[in-house]
């Protein structure tokens, strides 16, 4: 039985085999000697950025927009701009990424291995309650419109399923 590397080890190897910057959601990862630095991908060429120097400051960046509004969805496309976080050790980078995008490294590793199971649209829709219950009754065309207007327009994650599908084909 072959024992594979842990996702964090595979990600580290992947970073070491490629030149950066690397993009994750709205974040850019840059290498600095033996350390890493994060910034908003829109700020890569911006000369003057506020330095984030602690996990507590990072928490504020992750949870609030530029307008100081709460970000309830980690994958929403409203990450604050104007900052840089680092230098970070690889372990600190992993923690920062985990805080920004929970389960990112595990999902990345599963996807890279071809082992990330797609989410079944209909099963997910049928679990919805309250005001979201209506999505289970939408036609495939209405589902696609819903995704286009809400998910695709405002989320940094890429869907692996298609509305109306039962097997998760993109």
């Amino acid at each position: 039985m072959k024992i594979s590397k842990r996702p964090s080890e595979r990600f580290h190897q992947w970073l070491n085999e490629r030149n950066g910057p690397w993009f994750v959601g709205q974040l850019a990862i840059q290498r600095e000697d033996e350390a890493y630095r994060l910034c908003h991908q829109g700020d890569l060429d911006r000369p003057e950025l506020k330095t984030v120097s602690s996990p507590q400051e990072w928490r504020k960046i992750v949870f609030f927009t530029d307008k100081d509004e709460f970000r309830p969805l980690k994958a929403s496309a409203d990450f604050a701009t104007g900052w840089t976080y680092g230098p970070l050790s690889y372990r600190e980078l992993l923690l920062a990424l985990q805080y920004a995008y929970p389960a990112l490294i595990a999902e990345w590793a599963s996807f890279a291995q071809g082992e990330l199971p797609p989410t079944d649209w209909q099963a997910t829709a049928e679990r919805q309650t309250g005001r979201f219950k209506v999505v289970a009754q939408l036609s495939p065309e209405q589902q696609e419109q819903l995704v286009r207007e809400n998910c695709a327009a405002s989320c940094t994650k890429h869907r692996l399923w298609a509305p109306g599908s039962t097997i998760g084909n993109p």
Side-chain angles (χ1 to χ4, degrees):
M1 177 169 134
K2 182 182 174 190
I3 298 175
S4 62
K5 291 181 181 178
R6 293 184 336 201
S8 61
E9 293 169 343
R10 289 200 306 259
F11 187 67
H12 196 215
Q13 180 180 350
W14 185 85
L15 289 176
N16 286 331
E17 292 173 350
R18 288 158 181 79
N19 292 323
W22 306 276
F23 301 96
V24 176
Q26 289 188 284
L27 301 179
I29 305 169
Q30 301 171 80
R31 188 182 324 241
E32 286 186 351
D33 300 317
E34 296 299 315
Y36 300 90
R37 182 168 296 281
L38 289 172
C39 70
H40 189 284
Q41 65 181 355
D43 290 336
L44 268 175
D45 296 325
R46 196 166 153 195
E48 293 185 31
L49 299 170
K50 176 188 176 223
T51 300
V52 175
S53 58
S54 72
Q56 293 77 18
E57 288 181 78
W58 178 239
R59 183 176 195 268
K60 184 167 171 46
I61 298 294
V62 169
F63 277 105
F64 295 93
T65 67
D66 282 329
K67 297 176 184 174
D68 211 27
E69 296 170 341
F70 180 67
R71 296 179 67 236
L73 301 173
K74 298 282 188 165
S76 61
D78 55 0
F79 224 100
T81 59
W83 54 268
T84 181
Y85 185 27
L88 303 168
S89 68
Y90 181 66
R91 183 177 181 282
E92 291 168 327
L93 173 67
L94 288 178
L95 291 172
L97 292 174
Q98 176 69 16
Y99 206 70
Y101 296 117
L104 167 77
I105 302 301
E107 288 176 352
W108 171 87
S110 292
F111 182 77
Q113 296 283 111
E115 299 170 353
L116 183 63
T119 302
D120 181 84
W121 169 269
Q122 198 59 41
T124 302
E126 289 171 3
R127 286 195 308 264
Q128 302 307 305
T129 61
R131 67 181 181 167
F132 299 110
K133 188 173 184 156
V134 68
V135 298
Q137 285 89 40
L138 298 177
S139 70
E141 294 79 22
Q142 291 170 317
Q143 293 171 4
E144 186 60 46
Q145 181 181 355
L146 174 74
V147 169
R148 190 174 45 256
E149 291 175 1
N150 294 281
C151 304
S154 62
C155 186
T156 59
K157 289 187 175 186
H158 300 286
R159 64 184 166 119
L160 299 179
W161 44 261
S165 72
T166 57
I167 57 172
N169 291 332

